[in-house]
Amino acid sequence: MDNIGALNAFVQAAEARSFTKAGQTLGVSSSAVGKAVARLEERLAVRLFHRSTRSMTLTPEGALFLERCRRIFCEIEAAELELAQLQGAPRGKLRISMPHAGTLMLPALTAFMRRWPDIELDLDFSDRFVDVIDEGFDGVIRAGNVSDSRLMSRKLGDFHLKLVAAPAYLAARGTPIRPADLANHACLLHRYATSGKLEPWPLRRPVELPTTVIANSVEPLIGMAEQRFGIACLPDFAIRTQLAAGTLVTVLDRHVRHTGMFRLLWPSSRHLSPKLRVFIDFMAERLFQP
């Protein structure tokens, strides 16, 4: 392999933590990847990996070198994309991590796919903590503020949590007037997938909620609320259609106080490629559009 090829072999091996998987990605044998990395280590006079029969991890020098290599390949990709942009629309693979609730953002995502058909979306839906840089994502969409100085961010929009139920459920069980009334209702609760803790309802005066159902994803809670199984606390962007159709209605509005925020984050060291730029602009414009 040439120098660029050796660097690419190293990057693929570092991201996959495997010579075999790196070889499959590159279309070469695992031994070819191993030899390329060995020659690279010899030329640099430094060990890039700690290797054993069971695992392969980066050395501190390897981690530093990986970040530099990613910058090199990002610059190469940016140069290619800039030239491609002169000849046509942004194109190429765009790897984005989204929360599980991101499946509820599909209208905006499908609209983006129709607008930019030459961009291949590689979407990872997960609520776990994602290291944007080390895991090779172009960007991530997450709720909350930014605490990583290595990342740039752009606000995509605000959302609000609402307490909702089906009209037929309220007709049968009564409409709660005060938060304390929830003690006599079926409550559909959400558990954070990452921490395992129950998501608190944003009531001005907290109350102990009876548990009917617990789910670690928003989608089943929406369905169960529509099917008259109880009251759920859900983000407004996820239930816009149900509220408009009247299959769900809000309750205790004046007792609920919540504003959340979604941001798109990307590595500050990475050139903002045309494909990522149009994705950021499009999602900021369309994600929370009614």
Side-chain angles (χ1 to χ4, degrees):
M1 295 185 181
D2 57 18
N3 287 342
I4 293 296
L7 294 181
N8 194 25
F10 163 68
V11 170
Q12 295 298 329
E15 293 181 346
R17 297 295 195 268
S18 165
F19 288 163
T20 300
K21 291 181 181 178
Q24 292 171 348
T25 300
L26 296 171
V28 299
S29 66
S30 59
S31 62
V33 175
K35 290 176 181 178
V37 171
R39 287 194 296 270
L40 191 58
E41 289 179 323
E42 183 179 357
R43 189 168 76 248
L44 297 172
V46 67
R47 182 175 291 277
L48 299 173
F49 292 105
H50 293 303
R51 296 187 282 274
S52 71
T53 56
R54 292 187 176 183
S55 65
M56 185 172 77
T57 59
L58 286 167
T59 64
E61 295 81 5
L64 183 65
F65 191 59
L66 175 61
E67 184 175 350
R68 181 72 67 174
C69 287
R70 282 179 173 153
R71 293 181 185 180
I72 291 171
F73 284 111
C74 285
E75 287 300 321
I76 292 174
E77 180 188 19
E80 292 174 346
L81 289 172
E82 285 175 356
L83 292 177
Q85 191 177 35
L86 296 176
Q87 301 175 0
R91 64 186 69 243
K93 180 182 288 188
L94 192 62
R95 190 163 183 246
I96 302 293
S97 175
M98 309 181 76
H100 275 307
T103 55
L104 302 168
M105 303 175 186
L106 286 178
L109 292 171
T110 53
F112 176 82
M113 293 167 65
R114 285 191 291 269
R115 176 65 180 85
W116 303 104
D118 293 329
I119 296 179
E120 175 190 345
L121 288 180
D122 182 351
L123 302 175
D124 174 80
F125 292 98
S126 173
D127 286 327
R128 68 181 178 85
F129 174 80
V130 172
D131 191 310
V132 187
I133 297 174
D134 285 348
E135 297 186 44
F137 285 101
D138 293 296
V140 301
I141 295 177
R142 286 294 183 270
N145 294 315
V146 183
S147 58
D148 193 332
S149 61
R150 301 175 303 164
L151 304 178
M152 300 288 287
S153 74
R154 179 168 173 182
K155 178 181 174 180
L156 297 180
D158 295 321
F159 68 96
H160 305 276
L161 291 176
K162 301 287 187 180
L163 301 189
V164 297
Y169 168 85
L170 297 175
R173 298 285 296 270
T175 300
I177 305 301
R178 303 177 305 275
D181 295 340
L182 292 172
N184 300 315
H185 282 271
C187 294
L188 314 176
L189 306 181
H190 175 250
R191 186 193 302 279
Y192 291 117
T194 50
S195 67
K197 296 180 179 180
L198 294 179
E199 181 178 12
W201 287 11
L203 295 164
R204 293 177 184 270
R205 180 176 298 176
V207 298
E208 186 173 351
L209 301 172
T211 300
T212 301
V213 171
I214 298 174
N216 65 356
S217 181
V218 171
E219 288 90 336
L221 296 177
I222 296 174
M224 285 184 280
E226 284 190 285
Q227 293 300 315
R228 309 183 300 279
F229 284 105
I231 299 174
C233 181
L234 300 167
D236 55 358
F237 73 87
I239 52 173
R240 187 177 292 125
T241 300
Q242 290 81 356
L243 292 176
T247 58
L248 290 176
V249 295
T250 61
V251 297
L252 295 174
D253 286 344
R254 67 188 185 91
H255 296 282
V256 174
R257 179 174 56 191
H258 175 272
T259 298
M261 178 191 306
F262 273 107
R263 290 183 177 274
L264 201 153
L265 316 173
W266 67 94
S268 59
S269 61
R270 187 166 299 177
H271 179 87
L272 191 59
S273 64
K275 62 185 177 183
L276 182 56
R277 184 182 300 279
V278 296
F279 182 78
I280 293 171
D281 290 342
F282 190 92
M283 296 303 283
E285 178 184 349
R286 297 287 297 274
L287 186 58
F288 291 98
Q289 184 184 63

